[in-house]
Amino acid sequence: MTAMSVDPVLLAPSPPCTLADACDIASRFGLAAAAAHDLGSERDRTFMLLDADGRGLAVMKVSNAAEAADTLDMEAAAVEHIASVDAGLPIARPWPVPGAADGDPLHRVAWHHEGSTHWARMYSLIPGHARHDPRTLDDAALIAWGTTTARLGRALRGFIHPRAVRTMPWDVQHASRCRTMVPAIKVPSTRLAVTRVLDRFDAAIAPRWPTLRAQVVHGDLTIDNALVDDAGRIVGIVDFGDMSHTALVGDIASVLDSLGTGRSDSDLMRVARLVLDGYQRITPLDADELDVVGDLWATRLAIGVAIASWRAAEGLEEAEFAERYNDSAVAMLDHLLSLGYDGVRRALVDPHDGGEGRGLLAARRDRVFGPAVESLSYDSPIQMAAAEGTWMFDTDGRRYLDMYNNVPCVGHTHPRVVGAIARQARSLNTNLRYLHGSAIELAERLTATCPPSLDTVFFMNSGSEANDLAWRLATTYTGNTGGLCTTWAYHGISQAMAPLSPETLPEQHLPAHVERWAPTDTYRGLHTDVSGFTAAISRLAARGIAPAMTILDGVLQSDGVYDLDPAYVRELVRLTHAGGGLWVADEVQGGHGRTGETMWSFERFGIVPDFVTLGKPMGNGHPVAAVITRREIAERFAADTVFFSTFGGNQVSVAAAHAVLDVIDDERVLARVTRAGSALRDEVRAATAGVECIGDVRGMGLANAIEIVGDRTNKQPDAARAAAIKDALRRNGVLVGTTGSAANILKVRPPLAFTTAEVALFVDALVQSLDGEV
């Protein structure tokens, strides 16, 4: 290896400093040392200075003659910077030189030998164990090592120095510089393994390097460069000689290299995960950084073997000392390579990602989920890998325009919501038995969007739970036991809600206390008056049952998406109240601006419900839900019992819900929904004007339906054709669902991130799908 390819400090021999020389140099720091003990070092000389009784006084480091003075000054400046940022980090700080004059070095003295100048620095003793056996570190110590590494990186975050930009072979970004060292590796199989790793780095990691978060890092926090206490926790960081400006995640590679020493293959990944856990308690790694951890670990092991073999071969160090970790490093490297880079990534980052093909996963799903779980969507099931905004991406990298999933209300993985969840999850997540200002504020924000009489909020985890609690509150307040819902509604999965969810519970299982009515079919002009509703109340009365509540999804997503006449809905509310019941506005699917006109779909009808229920769109898919009601209803309930949900209203869920409300305000979502929904319906109608099977295009905001019929004259539902069009849309990169009692209605309800820019994409895919299936 040539001097031009690496920092010259690694090419020069270590200082020829004797023990007597060490004691003499110590006197210049005002220290009277009777003896010295050589502690060993890679390229420098490190001495323990002793008194006459053999007790330690201090540690002195004499640098290689090729070590630039300003590099040593950088180390001193970095240490001072760290101490000012995180005073609790146990770093070794160089002594000031006694009597240093203005312009003289503050932390180093010169030792001259045979025309060469070596710089010496003095450090106080730090109690602890040096070169501790990493195999003895317990799990808590491994986590603590990760935490300390992250604290050190964070403390260096704002530090910069001209000398930090240098070529150090230990810095994995310069791994390719070690290729000329590989011939020094004696074992052919090891040479091959190291070469494979370097090839992989050049091909897969080097091109990604500029995208990684970078700063000045320690670069070599290992067992050799740290002192630990009896429990294995770091109590002293004693060497900053390999500092450089590089990728932050590279710091982890050196720790894993060191702490994996001597570990069994079966334990190696577990150890690494614990270190990463500790690190991410302080500094979360982003997806790109996590993706390369395994590669950097393998690269660090490979270059370590190459450097050690080369230094031994060049006579720069005694072979026994230089190559003391090679056997362990090779064993680790062999294990990583046997797992494969994807296998290492899964083991470190996502060991449960189900990394199998769709066919195998579908079979496993059937085996463990059983027949009662709803089947997979589409004739060719999709295995999703990621999503953003209105787009979803499968494991093959294909993207789909999501026109179906309403739960990620403001868009898949919205950064405001993801950030709020992550920040809060790192600090606290507990229940409402403790004072929780954010939950109180959320309740206040929700009530502010509702009529003044709705002044009381309960938090829970899902729309099913919200509707279930509304049922309990209603039956308690009214003393009645009857329930009313539309003929194909969906309101939840609990024992109370299943009978009020005919979409999933056949009519033959309808209990005596529940009745259903057919809402207005705006396409066919059916059920335009309330006679069906009054008949349902009468059927209950004939069985001696009065209604406790009527529940309505304001956009009728499951019934087929109908825009009801406000006067019709107001009469339903009046009849419910006259019969002794309460009105539940189920806003799980129609709320949070879905209609564009108003925040809540019930507002369009000019009614004041007794309950408003919200579900997971409230948290963009995070499990959070709410019931908003009148205080008098809650007071009647409180006379008998109290409501508590262990994680209803927890800090993380509340943070997500606040973020959703903030995005709705900041992005002016309601106005965007109105524009996008109107454009969507207009463009679909125009594009399908001559298509006989498109019976109706209807909706409000981004709650829309395309009804598929045999022909426009007879208006007979055509479920088979609707299913075929849905599957064709999937093949053309668009996701929709089907709905309605005849399953003939395409349900088009994208996340509210959908804009007019995506309208043409949907319409084009729809036309292509119709051409292929009609």
Side-chain angles (χ1 to χ4, degrees), residues 88-372:
L89 272 173
I91 52 175
R93 301 172 70 177
W95 288 10
V97 178
D102 290 343
D104 288 342
L106 296 178
H107 299 95
R108 52 187 168 84
V109 298
W111 176 66
H112 303 289
H113 180 78
E114 297 182 354
S116 296
T117 299
H118 303 266
W119 294 102
R121 292 164 292 168
M122 189 72 72
Y123 299 86
S124 296
L125 291 179
I126 299 175
H129 305 291
R131 296 191 175 122
H132 193 71
D133 186 346
R135 294 171 296 182
T136 66
L137 299 179
D138 63 16
D139 294 351
L142 293 168
I143 293 169
W145 268 76
T147 300
T148 300
T149 305
R151 285 177 61 193
L152 184 57
R154 177 161 289 201
L156 282 167
R157 182 184 292 175
F159 178 77
I160 191 62
H161 192 281
R163 287 295 298 174
V165 181
R166 56 179 178 159
T167 302
M168 298 293 290
W170 285 109
D171 180 353
V172 291
Q173 71 173 311
H174 301 301
S176 61
R177 303 281 187 130
C178 294
R179 284 189 181 275
T180 55
M181 298 178 176
V182 173
I185 300 172
K186 299 182 184 70
V187 181
S189 60
T190 302
R191 283 200 304 273
L192 178 61
V194 168
T195 300
R196 287 174 56 196
V197 172
L198 297 179
D199 290 344
R200 161 76 179 189
F201 182 88
D202 286 346
I205 304 304
R208 300 175 64 177
W209 198 265
T211 70
L212 299 175
R213 183 169 32 167
Q215 63 171 74
V216 176
V217 303
H218 181 278
D220 198 28
L221 188 57
T222 65
I223 288 292
D224 282 346
N225 293 328
L227 300 171
V228 301
D229 62 16
D230 291 341
R233 274 73 163 180
I234 295 175
V235 293
I237 302 169
V238 298
D239 189 347
F240 285 78
D242 290 303
M243 285 174 53
S244 65
H245 188 279
T246 187
L248 176 64
V249 69
D251 248 357
I252 297 172
S254 63
V255 177
L256 297 181
D257 173 358
S258 183
L259 300 192
T261 300
R263 296 277 181 170
S264 66
D265 289 352
S266 61
D267 201 33
L268 204 54
M269 294 298 112
R270 187 189 69 84
V271 166
R273 288 192 294 268
L274 292 177
V275 173
L276 284 169
D277 286 346
Y279 190 95
Q280 294 195 97
R281 289 182 181 185
I282 304 298
T283 302
L285 297 170
D286 64 32
D288 286 341
E289 289 169 326
L290 286 168
D291 201 39
V292 301
V293 167
D295 275 277
L296 301 191
W297 184 7
T299 305
R300 171 76 184 206
L301 289 165
I303 63 178
V305 171
I307 293 170
S309 301
W310 173 76
R311 288 185 63 80
E314 292 292 313
L316 297 170
E317 288 183 85
E318 293 183 3
E320 183 178 357
F321 182 80
E323 298 178 321
R324 64 195 183 281
Y325 296 127
N326 275 15
D327 288 346
S328 177
V330 170
M332 270 191 281
L333 188 57
D334 286 344
H335 181 60
L336 296 184
L337 293 177
S338 72
L339 293 176
Y341 290 101
D342 287 342
V344 173
R345 184 195 60 77
R346 285 196 298 271
L348 292 179
V349 180
D350 190 7
H352 311 294
D353 69 351
E356 292 181 320
R358 283 186 290 273
L360 288 173
L361 281 179
R364 286 174 58 195
R365 182 185 193 273
D366 289 344
R367 186 167 61 251
V368 296
F369 288 175

Side-chain angles (χ1 to χ4, degrees), residues 469-677:
L469 178 61
W471 173 258
R472 291 177 63 195
L473 291 165
T475 54
T476 301
Y477 183 79
T478 65
N480 300 334
T481 58
L484 293 155
C485 68
T486 55
T487 51
W488 205 246
Y490 178 79
H491 297 292
I493 61 172
S494 70
Q495 184 71 22
M497 285 302 103
L500 293 164
S501 299
E503 184 183 38
T504 56
L505 188 71
E507 189 170 357
Q508 59 266 31
H509 298 299
L510 184 69
H513 72 280
V514 171
E515 278 294 341
R516 302 162 181 174
W517 89 96
T520 301
D521 179 340
T522 57
Y523 173 43
R524 297 174 179 81
L526 302 175
H527 317 300
T528 57
D529 60 28
V530 297
S531 59
F533 185 75
T534 57
I537 293 178
S538 296
R539 289 193 296 273
L540 284 177
R543 297 194 289 271
I545 299 171
M549 76 178 208
T550 300
I551 186 167
L552 180 70
D553 164 14
V555 294
L556 293 163
Q557 285 274 9
S558 296
D559 286 279
V561 189
Y562 298 105
D563 189 2
L564 298 178
D565 182 351
Y568 166 85
V569 178
R570 287 196 293 270
E571 182 63 8
L572 297 181
V573 176
R574 188 193 68 78
L575 291 169
T576 297
H577 287 159
L582 301 177
W583 186 268
V584 180
D586 183 340
E587 295 289 337
V588 174
Q589 299 196 72
H592 284 90
R594 171 70 45 185
T595 66
E597 301 171 46
T598 55
M599 183 69 167
W600 311 117
S601 62
F602 76 80
E603 296 178 84
R604 302 165 56 253
F605 306 130
I607 65 171
V608 178
D610 302 293
F611 303 98
V612 176
T613 57
L614 312 178
K616 286 183 285 296
M618 176 180 172
N620 216 45
H622 194 81
V624 58
V627 174
I628 310 170
T629 188
R630 302 197 306 273
R631 188 173 186 84
E632 64 187 275
I633 296 174
E635 288 173 341
R636 174 63 189 85
F637 187 76
D640 292 344
T641 186
V642 296
F643 173 77
F644 176 72
S645 171
T646 302
F647 270 85
N650 69 79
Q651 286 84 351
V652 175
S653 296
V654 166
H658 274 298
V660 167
L661 293 178
D662 291 342
V663 171
I664 288 173
D665 286 344
D666 291 347
E667 295 186 6
R668 294 178 283 195
V669 166
L670 270 65
R672 185 174 71 202
V673 167
T674 299
R675 291 192 301 272

